[in-house]
Amino acid sequence: MKHYLLSIYQPDGPPPPPDILEPIMRDVNEVIREMKAAGALVFGGGLYPASTATVLTFKDGKMLTTDGPYIEGKEHLGGFDIIQAPDLDAALEWGRKLARAITLPIEVRPFQHNG
Amino acid sequence: MALSQADIARIFRAEYGRAVAVLTRAFGNIDTAEEAVQDAFATAIERWPKDGPPPSPAGWIITTARNRAIDRLRKDSSRQERHEQAVLMQSKEPIDEDDPVHDDRLRLIFTCCHPSLATNAQVALTLRLLGGLTTPEIAKAFLIPEVTLAQRLVRAKGKIRDAGIPYRVPEASELPARLVPVLAVLYLIFNEGYAATSGTGLTRGELCTEAIRLTRVLLSELPDELEIQGLLALMLLSDARRSARVDCDGQLVLLRDQDRSRWDPTPTLEGLRLVQRCLRHNRPGPYQIQAAINAAHAIAAHTDETDWAQIVRLYDQLLAIQPTPVVALNRAVAVAEVDGPQAALQLIDALTAELDRFYLFHAIRADLLRRLDRNEHAAASYRNAIERCENEAEKEFLKRRLAELS
């Protein structure tokens, strides 16, 4: 089994109104339930907005603490799931299910070491 | 019979895809498989000129490569990963080279054209691993620096290994979707050879030949897939016109001005037969339709006998499946022959926003304006086309046309 990171890229700004968000969250939770039932989900969850991030930089022997996020942009990591899958095709299949449910782009990336 | 190094290289190139495919399954690693075939090549250069070629070169290459790889893995077993591979290899039953290995080549095709790889990486991997072309050969054919291509290959193979792209034939339910990039890669290789997007020569025939060979391999693995038959027919019918596309001075000759007696009858006949077979199944796809369009040209003994109305109908069908501006542009060219250049011009002008950067759009527009005796507008369009064209032979053609206007 290999481990993959499924990153959810989310536009900054307020979340969509409840009548749009609620059915999306229902679908997403259904995919998460399915991942758990299949034993694929290792860990995952949604993040607070990027404005809540703090960046630590160690440079020239000094630690710098600054207001985040590290990369400015219109989109940020909004949440992630770590899954285990036999190969990329299986991981992509979970990614597709998640992308369909969440209606946001999903990036699938392999971990270096197999757990 | 004395074998030269070039003879041996030719045999290896023909068997390269098969050997790498079988060995990739055995070792679970493309690099190890490639190294092993390279080792076998060195051994062949030593032995074949003395002993003569083995009765089954493919079998010899696979067995020799496998044995050399095991030797190498044993020697190099300080690295844990390699040691594990060596253990794995010894525990496996020997590879029977007479066994039908076609599944392995098919696996390799789908790995090389995995949708998670960039198209240019898919093309490079397919030509390298299945076509057996060397890195310098591929770089030269695509007019890109060797270093760039080598890096592209390393990066793609790294992704296959690290991301865990499987070495597997997709299941029947996924097959149609997974075939799309495979056919696109083969057609891209063919087109790069046929219409060489940049550079001086108009055709780089080896790429066409290679694309046809690889499409035949794919069809032999999946003989019932009509779109593969369609693609092969499309390539054969286009390729039959290759020598007639250029005159003795290396100048481009348009389809309607080509000497049809110079069209090669062998690929034409094979292409027509494939198109007929596709038509009987009546499950049209984009490649089958494009092949049928080419067949309509192929059966016209003279330009004037071309059934343009049928070609327009085929483009209507294609446009319904593939509603792209380029298909609409090609359809307009056929419309010009049925309803006249004015009707076609109206269709083409509606595509300006989408196709302004495409030199053929302006070249076709220029030709229609020329036929309507609107020479000033035609000249402006020819100049737009020349500005955007990167192929020297086609540029020359457009310049001649521009000069003829005044």
Side-chain angles (χ1 to χ4, degrees), chain A residues 2 4 87-89 92 110-111, chain B residues 114 116 162-166 168:
Chain A
K2 286 180 68 74
Y4 295 88
D87 57 40
L88 183 66
D89 279 354
L92 291 179
F111 276 87
Chain B
H114 195 275
S116 73
D162 298 335
I165 292 179
R168 184 177 63 211

Side-chain angles (χ1 to χ4, degrees), chain B residues 106-161:
Chain B
L106 196 55
R107 281 191 189 103
L108 192 57
I109 290 178
F110 282 107
T111 303
C112 290
C113 299
H114 195 275
S116 73
L117 296 166
T119 303
N120 61 20
Q122 294 173 349
V123 168
L125 280 173
T126 302
L127 286 173
R128 175 76 199 102
L129 298 179
L130 283 148
L133 269 67
T134 62
T135 305
E137 281 170 342
I138 303 168
K140 198 171 150 237
F142 281 86
L143 308 166
I144 51 174
E146 225 176 288
V147 184
T148 310
L149 187 88
Q151 283 167 346
R152 198 175 284 172
L153 282 168
V154 167
R155 194 171 167 271
K157 284 191 268 185
K159 182 163 184 183
I160 292 173
R161 183 188 61 234

Side-chain angles (χ1 to χ4, degrees), chain B residues 44-286:
Chain B
I45 285 175
E46 248 174 63
R47 291 201 198 148
W48 290 11
K50 275 182 287 173
D51 307 347
S56 156
W60 186 95
I61 292 168
I62 291 167
T63 308
T64 309
R66 180 176 155 274
N67 292 339
R68 298 300 304 265
I70 293 171
D71 289 347
R72 199 190 263 263
L73 290 169
R74 278 204 195 108
K75 256 187 252 161
D76 206 13
S77 59
S78 52
R79 279 183 60 193
Q80 182 62 19
E81 195 185 333
R82 292 218 166 198
H83 182 67
E84 281 166 11
Q85 273 182 357
V87 172
L88 183 79
M89 273 309 302
Q90 283 164 293
S91 65
K92 274 205 174 152
E93 59 218 81
I95 303 160
D96 180 4
E97 54 269 12
D98 296 325
D99 203 40
V101 292
H102 57 270
D103 255 16
D104 284 320
R105 246 184 333 180
L106 196 55
R107 281 191 189 103
L108 192 57
I109 290 178
F110 282 107
T111 303
C112 290
C113 299
H114 195 275
S116 73
L117 296 166
T119 303
N120 61 20
Q122 294 173 349
V123 168
L125 280 173
T126 302
L127 286 173
R128 175 76 199 102
L129 298 179
L130 283 148
L133 269 67
T134 62
T135 305
E137 281 170 342
I138 303 168
K140 198 171 150 237
F142 281 86
L143 308 166
I144 51 174
E146 225 176 288
V147 184
T148 310
L149 187 88
Q151 283 167 346
R152 198 175 284 172
L153 282 168
V154 167
R155 194 171 167 271
K157 284 191 268 185
K159 182 163 184 183
I160 292 173
R161 183 188 61 234
D162 298 335
I165 292 179
Y167 189 59
R168 184 177 63 211
V169 177
E171 285 168 30
S173 64
E174 318 166 73
L175 199 61
R178 289 289 309 275
L179 260 181
V180 172
V182 174
L183 299 181
V185 160
L186 295 172
Y187 194 37
L188 210 82
I189 294 169
F190 180 83
N191 269 330
E192 186 62 30
Y194 194 65
T197 49
S198 56
T200 49
L202 192 69
T203 64
R204 289 199 295 274
E206 325 87 81
L207 282 180
C208 296
T209 310
E210 192 55 35
I212 290 172
R213 183 172 82 93
L214 291 173
T215 307
R216 284 191 198 282
V217 169
L218 185 65
L219 186 60
S220 71
E221 316 284 11
L222 299 167
D224 298 329
E225 289 295 328
L226 295 175
E227 277 294 272
I228 307 175
Q229 294 185 27
L231 177 61
L232 181 59
L234 172 59
M235 288 177 177
L236 288 168
L237 292 168
S238 311
D239 198 49
R241 303 196 297 261
R242 199 157 77 189
S243 65
R245 271 184 96 222
V246 191
D247 68 14
C248 44
D249 302 322
Q251 304 269 26
L252 177 67
V253 184
L254 286 188
L255 182 62
R256 63 166 168 263
D257 303 323
Q258 285 173 15
D259 174 0
R260 296 187 177 214
S261 68
R262 283 180 68 194
W263 291 0
D264 188 346
T266 311
T268 302
L269 275 177
E270 192 189 350
L272 289 175
R273 229 173 272 136
L274 282 164
V275 170
Q276 275 168 352
R277 239 164 68 189
C278 289
L279 286 174
R280 274 202 297 275
H281 286 89
N282 196 25
R283 277 189 286 133

